[in-house]
Amino acid sequence: MRGKRCCKATVKRALVCVILLAMPVRSAPTPHAPRQAQGSRLSDNPRVRAALDWFTPNISWINDQQARITEIPAPPFQEARRAAEVKELLSESGLAAQIDKTGNVIGELRGMNEKEIVVVAAHLDTVFPPDTDVKVHRDGGRMTAPGISDNGSGVAALLALARAVQSAHLKPQRTILFVGDVGEEGEGNLRGMRALVDNYRGKLKAVVVLDGSGTDHVTTKALASRRLEALVTGPGGHSWSDFGMPNPINALVRGSVRFINTRVPTTPRTTFNIGQIEGGTSVNSVPHEARLKVDIRSESEDELARLESALRECIVAGVRDEMESARDRSKGKLEWRVELLGSRPGGELAADSPLLAALRAADEFVGNRSRIERSSTDANVPLSLGIEAISIGAGGNGGGAHSLQEWYDAAGREAGLKRALLTVLEVSGVAEEKSR
């Protein structure tokens, strides 16, 4: 038995050897070479390198422009002075600059293909009223002033990118428009970006929005929102002699208390905010009108519609309750209305979009990691129409947005500027230099 087992084993070994010898010979796998990032390949172009190298020695100039622009008040619908200054600076960079009928500043860098356009944009307006003290206070690389980060940093980056590409004599494949747009904040309702997209929609291939500071995020999902105003009016009168007549402020308060108790889901994330209440002429007068403004936001259009309906129902209930509790209705009744001040559409960038790939390549080149966010920005408009768009910070760090204590620190802003430039150039393409 033992001899037979040995014989069988010998035969098996022989068969294995024959099979192995018959198999094709393959070399041992070699480790993959490190993948070179798109941004790195793009930077091999001497003129792109020159543009990237422009930022560091010119940081002081960029910071100075940021302070200069921030100190020009630019509330929504009052951006003209700031727009004129940005137009002048874009013209000084060598771009053909104009201000369109909506108030947007547009500096054109003509490409080889004039039928395709890439927009890089930064909104000019701020949330602050005209009489706000916007004097910039400096402490080393840190600047403090209302609007210094949102969107002083974005506008400064726009000017820096324009200066860098012109100084390097870059010629893009697609035409690039450097845009300072109006109406991003508050009741501006994205009017500048809406006009821009309407005017160039047939040619528009990508939009890169520069909004605020930082490099830790990229907005690829547009958060839908609506801004509403509730107005209640009545006869008005004297606080003593007309006590008991229906009071518009009382009605709004009654309605507001109902509304703020409205339940909203955590998923899809939904929010509301009563941001302004106005009314009355003096403490000893029954007001003839009162109004409040409400901001509602949601990842769901259905939730937005539900909240808007809830606000209307609550105002109706508040007016009804005030009328029912009034002692004297003989001098008039309350009227009400709820109006839509603005609506921002939702949308989302495809995960495999070339624009997002360009941003990721730029992140890799500068050694940055960024997370995807949903937010409400100028990118809402193109995203809602299926046009590739992102919103990114322009570098450096900031905080206290929309407050009087807003600040910006320029440390490390070069990385944000390079990230933005490489992203724009990747989607626009760079024309090859002609041999001499």
Side-chain angles (χ1 to χ4, degrees), residues 67-361:
R68 178 179 174 185
I69 293 298
T70 299
E71 291 182 344
I72 302 173
F77 305 101
Q78 299 181 53
E79 305 98 332
R81 279 185 56 210
R82 185 174 288 191
E85 187 65 28
V86 171
K87 176 181 178 291
E88 184 67 23
L89 288 165
L90 289 175
S91 297
E92 288 176 6
S93 297
L95 299 178
Q98 59 164 319
I99 296 177
D100 69 13
K101 63 182 181 181
T102 307
N104 297 319
V105 184
I106 303 172
E108 181 183 44
L109 178 60
R110 191 167 297 176
M112 299 293 290
N113 181 355
E114 297 180 31
K115 295 182 179 180
E116 295 186 347
I117 289 173
V118 172
V119 164
V120 53
H123 71 85
L124 299 174
D125 56 324
T126 73
V127 299
F128 304 99
D131 58 350
T132 304
D133 182 1
V134 290
K135 176 68 177 177
V136 175
H137 301 278
R138 298 203 195 196
D139 183 9
R142 185 182 175 104
M143 296 184 280
T144 304
I148 189 67
S149 183
D150 182 15
N151 193 30
S153 59
V155 177
L158 180 78
L159 298 170
L161 265 59
R163 215 34 101 86
V165 296
Q166 286 292 80
S167 69
H169 305 290
L170 272 169
K171 180 77 170 180
Q173 287 288 350
R174 291 170 167 165
T175 293
I176 301 175
L177 299 183
F178 294 84
V179 180
D181 64 284
V182 297
E184 194 275 342
E185 297 285 11
E187 295 170 34
N189 200 31
L190 307 182
R191 62 191 177 92
M193 184 57 71
R194 291 179 196 273
L196 196 71
V197 171
D198 284 346
N199 291 337
Y200 296 100
R201 187 171 177 181
K203 299 180 179 181
L204 197 52
K205 297 303 176 184
V207 177
V208 176
V209 173
L210 304 173
D211 197 344
S213 60
T215 58
D216 60 346
H217 69 280
V218 51
T219 297
T220 65
K221 302 176 182 180
L223 177 62
S225 67
R226 296 179 192 177
R227 279 80 186 265
L228 302 134
E229 181 181 69
L231 174 68
V232 179
T233 59
H238 193 278
S239 64
W240 174 257
S241 59
D242 295 312
F243 176 72
M245 71 163 42
N247 185 316
I249 288 181
N250 291 354
L252 270 188
V253 170
R254 293 175 190 272
S256 298
V257 170
R258 285 175 176 266
F259 181 68
I260 63 177
N261 287 310
T262 303
R263 297 178 67 87
V264 294
T266 54
T267 305
R269 187 181 176 193
T270 303
T271 65
F272 61 80
N273 180 64
I274 297 177
Q276 286 182 284
I277 299 179
E278 300 173 346
T281 55
S282 69
V283 69
N284 60 333
S285 299
V286 178
H288 67 275
E289 73 172 29
R291 67 184 70 216
L292 62 80
K293 294 179 181 179
V294 182
D295 173 274
I296 58 176
R297 305 183 183 213
S298 181
E299 297 173 343
S300 163
E301 288 286 348
D302 289 342
E303 283 298 319
L304 279 181
R306 184 181 71 85
L307 269 182
E308 181 175 348
S309 179
L311 177 63
R312 295 178 188 278
E313 291 171 3
C314 290
I315 297 302
V316 168
V319 169
R320 182 194 64 226
D321 292 350
E322 176 64 13
M323 286 297 298
E324 289 178 352
S325 65
R327 296 183 184 182
D328 182 3
R329 305 175 199 170
S330 63
K331 295 182 179 178
K333 63 178 182 177
L334 298 180
E335 303 287 345
W336 70 274
R337 68 173 184 265
V338 174
E339 295 183 341
L340 183 66
L341 297 176
S343 178
R344 297 189 176 202
E348 191 166 326
L349 185 66
D352 61 350
S353 82
L355 177 56
L356 184 57
L359 185 278
R360 291 303 189 204

Side-chain angles (χ1 to χ4, degrees), residues 355-376:
L355 177 56
L356 184 57
L359 185 278
R360 291 303 189 204
D363 270 341
E364 188 173 342
F365 178 78
V366 300
N368 184 61
R369 297 185 68 179
S370 57
R371 65 183 182 276
I372 286 176
E373 283 191 349
R374 184 185 298 274
S375 189
S376 180

